[in-house]
Amino acid sequence: MIRRFYKDVTLGTAPSGWQVLLDGRGVKTVGGAPQIVPAEALAEALAAEWRQQGEKIDPRSLPLRDMADYAIDMVAPDPEGVAEGLLSYAETDTLCYRADPDEPLHAHQQTVWEPLLAAFEADHGITLTRVSGVLHRPQPHAALAVLRERLLSLDPFVLAGVEAMAKLAASLVTALAALDAREDEALALWQAACLEEEWQADLWGRDWEAEERRARREADFLRACAFARLARG
């Protein structure tokens, strides 16, 4: 931790968006670029993190700042690379991989996952391959092309949020569905992505360390979703 070095937290405008000002000086990213974000709502959320600091600054309490830095320093210079990396989550999407049909888990997956996946396919005009078991089957090239185009249409800040969600859920479908869903639906989508993990925990018993990890991942997912939504304005 470092001692707080500022008193006032305000917002300033820039040609491409808004920037948090600490005693009138603009915040910069880890890479040294001006931390300018595309939406005032996101800038306000970033400012709130700085205002909530006490006598010492706790870097762990600035997660939105970290995501904004990542969007500017890493995603914006190479959105195509980020999009290609995300397509790997579509290739092995959690919602597409089901247990063997004779297992009880399969019926539960069908009940929870199939409506979500079918709605996603309808929204994007694509068809994704369902797989029973662990053997990989490639997704249709046409579907991946549509998803690639969708990802490349996103602002780097939104794309950063989607990437974080997809990694946490092991599911690009879940990440994009959460981005497009109502705000109160994000938690249900996260819980659906964790269906198999929860099934195993109910079957074999729960461990407090595993429960804490799941809680942290859930909070990170919801935060990434909020970041992406704020970035869209």
Side-chain angles (χ1 to χ4, degrees):
M1 295 188 184
I2 61 173
R3 185 173 297 278
R4 179 167 173 160
F5 56 87
Y6 60 91
K7 291 183 178 180
D8 297 323
V9 181
T10 57
L11 293 185
T13 58
S16 56
W18 287 262
Q19 185 177 24
V20 175
L21 306 177
L22 304 180
D23 291 341
R25 295 187 295 273
V27 171
K28 293 188 176 182
T29 69
V30 173
Q35 193 195 66
I36 297 172
V37 300
E40 185 177 9
L42 179 55
E44 286 286 3
L46 292 166
E49 287 187 336
W50 288 106
R51 292 188 184 109
Q52 290 166 5
Q53 299 302 309
E55 293 183 0
K56 292 187 177 181
I57 299 172
D58 182 359
R60 295 170 299 179
S61 65
L62 297 165
L64 297 181
R65 186 276 312 263
D66 292 342
M67 292 191 70
D69 284 1
Y70 179 75
I72 294 168
D73 291 341
M74 306 300 294
V75 179
D78 186 23
E80 291 187 4
V82 174
E84 287 299 323
L86 279 170
L87 289 177
S88 67
Y89 289 92
E91 282 280 13
T92 58
D93 201 286
T94 292
L95 272 60
C96 292
Y97 278 76
R98 317 285 170 84
D100 290 328
D102 59 346
E103 296 181 15
L105 175 58
H106 182 271
H108 191 38
Q109 291 169 329
Q110 287 290 107
T111 299
V112 177
W113 287 351
E114 192 57 31
L116 297 176
L117 192 55
F120 181 84
E121 290 173 318
D123 288 343
H124 290 80
I126 61 175
T127 300
L128 295 171
T129 300
R130 279 75 161 162
V131 182
S132 289
V134 297
L135 293 180
H136 173 70
R137 289 176 59 190
Q139 294 295 343
H141 291 299
L144 294 178
V146 170
L147 293 176
R148 180 184 292 106
E149 184 177 353
R150 173 73 197 286
L151 291 170
L152 291 176
S153 73
L154 299 176
D155 176 275
F157 291 84
V158 180
L159 187 56
V162 169
E163 182 187 32
M165 287 190 285
K167 288 182 175 180
L168 288 161
S171 170
L172 180 58
V173 170
T174 299
L176 288 174
L179 179 65
D180 293 335
R182 297 195 312 268
E183 186 174 353
D184 60 349
E185 294 175 331
L187 177 58
L189 287 163
W190 166 255
Q191 291 172 337
C194 297
L195 180 150
E196 186 170 355
E197 188 177 359
E198 289 295 313
W199 177 277
Q200 295 297 335
D202 287 339
L203 184 63
W204 300 108
R206 294 181 177 272
D207 173 79
W208 70 269
E209 290 184 347
E211 292 297 305
E212 284 193 347
R213 286 194 296 270
R214 274 194 286 272
R216 286 196 297 269
R217 287 165 49 223
E218 178 182 297
D220 290 343
F221 180 90
L222 295 176
R223 185 182 300 111
C225 185
F227 179 88
R229 290 173 181 274
L230 289 170
R232 286 204 304 191

